[in-house]
């Protein structure tokens, strides 16, 4: 994203300074510490490498994806190679950063659809835990809209592709301040998130929130915030087997520089023989006469045998730019041989061949380390 109020020559030093600060904090005391101070806790795949004496955890994930979709040659690429660094700052504060090398390696695909590898600051923030019902966050974080966007790492999701309702209408990242926590009432937990974004002046990293990046296409649509504010609540019931959430968001995009209002609903239900979840959004605003953007999906996950799941998803989405309505059907297998390791295979088709989410085969191998 190019911010006209802060040219690249000024933004690059800002990002470099923030990253340098992360590394300095994460390694503070290294010269004074002895060997025992850097001993690690027992390691398990997917849990990260933890240094108890330093309050430091290193982890991340990587995934290899294969796309064979309509109107494009087959493509194999490393979609994400992400590093997580978590550092305790005393007993109440914690620093977290996620650095992502996206599309570092790509084989196949057309020249027009070939992406260049880039190093991106996915997340960079400091949390302060006042108490269970009030936590404060400052920095760059995932936008609290729906459930999918807050659990976006490939090893933690059911399918290779991402439903359109979870990425097409809003920025996946926000930069600013957020308050969040959990309130218990009448035996049920209620989670909340309230945030304000000022990406115009608090930009961290050169990332571009591509609206359809996870659909196997590379349309130029971008969703980077300029300013935003909003919140989300999530209600837990039946021993956390059922959740119901609502998101409300008002924002102005950087390009096109238009204002929008969005309302989202989501749910999750976990049963003995299968699970259901879904999300839906309604967005209005933009240029005069521009139609509202609406859509959603319902997904079922069925365990077949141990660690092998069948996943089916039906989604319908109406975009405002380009203006079209698509219906997509996705059938997938998700195999988790050990915690932290996931193989996925899926087939997607729809009511027509579409540039938003072309039909075809998708596969991935992902590891959470």
């Amino acid at each position: 994203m190019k911010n006209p109020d802060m040219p690249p020559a000024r933004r690059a030093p800002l990002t470099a300074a923030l990253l340098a600060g992360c590394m300095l904090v994460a390694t503070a005391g290294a010269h004074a510490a002895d060997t025992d101070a850097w001993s690690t806790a027992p390691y398990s795949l997917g849990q990260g490498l933890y240094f108890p004496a330093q309050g430091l955890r290193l982890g991340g994930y990587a995934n290899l994806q294969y796309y064979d979709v309509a109107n494009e040659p087959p493509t194999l690429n490393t979609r994400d190679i992400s590093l997580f660094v978590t550092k305790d700052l005393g007993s109440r504060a914690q620093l977290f950063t996620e650095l992502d090398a996206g599309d570092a390696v790509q084989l196949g695909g057309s020249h027009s659809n070939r992406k260049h590898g880039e190093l991106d600051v996915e997340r960079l923030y400091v949390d302060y835990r006042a108490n269970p019902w009030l936590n404060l966050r400052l920095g760059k974080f995932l936008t609290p809209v729906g459930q999918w966007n807050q659990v976006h790492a490939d090893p933690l999701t059911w399918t290779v592709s991402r439903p359109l309702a979870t990425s097409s209408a809003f920025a996946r990242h926000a930069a600013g301040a957020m308050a969040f926590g959990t309130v218990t009432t009448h035996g049920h937990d209620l989670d909340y998130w309230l945030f304000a974004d000022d990406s115009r002046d608090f930009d961290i990293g050169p990332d571009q929130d591509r609206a359809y990046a996870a659909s196997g296409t590379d349309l130029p649509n971008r969703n980077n915030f300029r300013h935003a504010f909003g919140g989300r609540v999530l209600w837990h019931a039946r021993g956390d087997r059922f959740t119901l959430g609502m998101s409300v968001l008002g924002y102005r995009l950087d390009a096109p520089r238009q204002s929008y209002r969005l309302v989202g609903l989501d749910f999750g239900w976990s049963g003995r023989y299968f699970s259901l979840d879904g999300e839906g959004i309604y967005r209005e605003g933009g240029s005069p006469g521009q139609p509202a953007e609406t859509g959603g999906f319902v997904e079922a996950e069925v365990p077949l045998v141990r660690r092998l799941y069948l996943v089916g998803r039906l989604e319908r989405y109406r975009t405002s730019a380009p203006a079209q309505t698509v219906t997509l059907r996705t059938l997938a297998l998700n195999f988790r041989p050990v915690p932290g390791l996931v193989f996925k295979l899926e087939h997607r088709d729809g009511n027509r061949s579409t540039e938003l989410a072309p039909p075809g085969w998708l596969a991935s191998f992902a590891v959470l380390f």
Side-chain angles (χ1 to χ4, degrees):
M1 179 178 69
K2 296 182 179 179
N3 191 326
D5 299 309
M6 183 179 291
R10 292 179 56 195
R11 290 169 55 239
L14 172 62
T15 301
L18 287 167
L19 291 176
C22 286
M23 296 301 104
L24 287 173
V25 172
T27 59
H31 296 293
D34 56 22
T35 303
D36 291 338
W38 284 93
S39 60
T40 63
Y43 175 76
S44 297
L45 187 65
Q47 300 301 314
L49 186 63
Y50 183 53
F51 301 85
Q54 303 299 322
L56 174 67
R57 187 182 298 273
L58 304 177
Y61 72 96
N63 64 333
L64 182 67
Q65 294 188 349
Y66 173 78
Y67 283 81
D68 186 4
V69 297
N71 304 319
E72 288 290 343
T75 303
L76 180 70
N77 72 346
T78 54
R79 182 74 183 183
D80 297 288
I81 303 176
S82 290
L83 172 66
F84 301 155
V85 179
T86 307
K87 179 69 172 74
D88 293 335
L89 307 176
S91 60
R92 290 182 176 270
Q94 189 175 74
L95 171 74
F96 177 82
T97 183
E98 178 184 357
L99 302 178
D100 179 76
D103 300 310
V105 179
Q106 179 168 323
L107 302 175
S110 65
H111 179 75
S112 62
N113 197 40
R114 187 161 296 176
K115 308 176 187 67
H116 299 288
E118 57 185 14
L119 181 64
D120 183 28
V121 184
E122 281 278 321
R123 289 180 280 176
L124 176 57
Y125 57 78
V126 174
D127 278 349
Y128 178 76
R129 300 181 293 272
N131 50 59
W133 54 269
L134 179 60
N135 304 272
L136 302 176
R137 178 170 294 174
L138 179 66
K140 180 180 181 180
F141 44 83
L142 299 173
T143 307
V145 173
Q147 298 198 50
W148 187 290
N149 196 57
Q150 294 176 284
V151 189
H152 75 299
D154 189 84
L156 304 177
T157 60
W158 286 106
T159 59
V160 181
S161 61
R162 179 172 178 149
L164 295 173
T166 68
S167 64
S168 301
F170 59 93
R172 296 188 298 275
H173 306 89
M178 179 164 67
F180 62 99
T182 300
V183 178
T184 301
T185 175
H186 302 294
H188 299 294
D189 288 341
L190 182 71
D191 302 331
Y192 76 91
W193 298 261
L194 295 172
F195 81 99
D197 168 272
D198 185 17
S199 292
R200 174 191 172 189
D201 301 311
F202 195 49
D203 189 16
I204 301 175
D207 67 290
Q208 299 191 13
D209 268 308
R210 299 192 295 267
Y212 307 106
S215 300
T217 186
D218 193 36
L219 291 174
N221 304 62
R222 301 289 186 263
N223 279 332
N224 296 80
F225 287 145
R226 186 172 177 84
H227 296 293
F229 63 92
R232 164 173 159 78
V233 293
L234 182 67
W235 180 63
H236 301 256
R238 297 185 175 273
D240 211 30
R241 291 175 54 199
F242 177 74
T243 61
L244 182 64
M246 181 177 182
S247 307
V248 178
L249 185 61
Y251 56 96
R252 186 173 180 84
L253 293 181
D254 188 69
R257 199 156 294 178
Q258 305 284 351
S259 296
Y260 300 89
R261 296 165 299 280
L262 182 145
V263 176
L265 295 174
D266 61 88
F267 77 94
W269 178 82
S270 179
R272 181 178 179 182
Y273 299 107
F274 66 96
S275 300
L276 286 174
D277 55 83
E279 297 186 29
I281 63 101
Y282 176 87
R283 187 188 79 172
E284 62 179 9
S287 58
Q290 185 174 353
E293 190 148 324
T294 62
F297 71 91
V298 175
E299 182 177 278
E301 303 93 27
V302 182
L304 298 179
V305 294
R306 189 175 182 181
R307 303 188 183 95
L308 178 64
Y309 298 84
L310 176 67
V311 182
R313 182 169 67 230
L314 176 64
E315 58 181 304
R316 186 173 177 83
Y317 199 83
R318 183 180 70 182
T319 65
S320 56
Q324 60 178 275
T325 301
V326 297
T327 301
L328 299 171
R329 296 175 292 271
T330 300
L331 192 64
L333 292 174
N334 183 299
F335 179 51
R336 306 176 181 183
V338 295
L341 202 62
V342 184
F343 295 87
K344 304 176 190 177
L345 174 67
E346 72 180 70
H347 183 263
R348 178 178 64 195
D349 64 4
N351 57 339
R352 56 179 174 173
S353 178
T354 171
E355 58 181 345
L356 300 180
W361 290 92
L362 300 84
S364 74
F365 164 68
V367 57
L368 186 69
F369 51 85

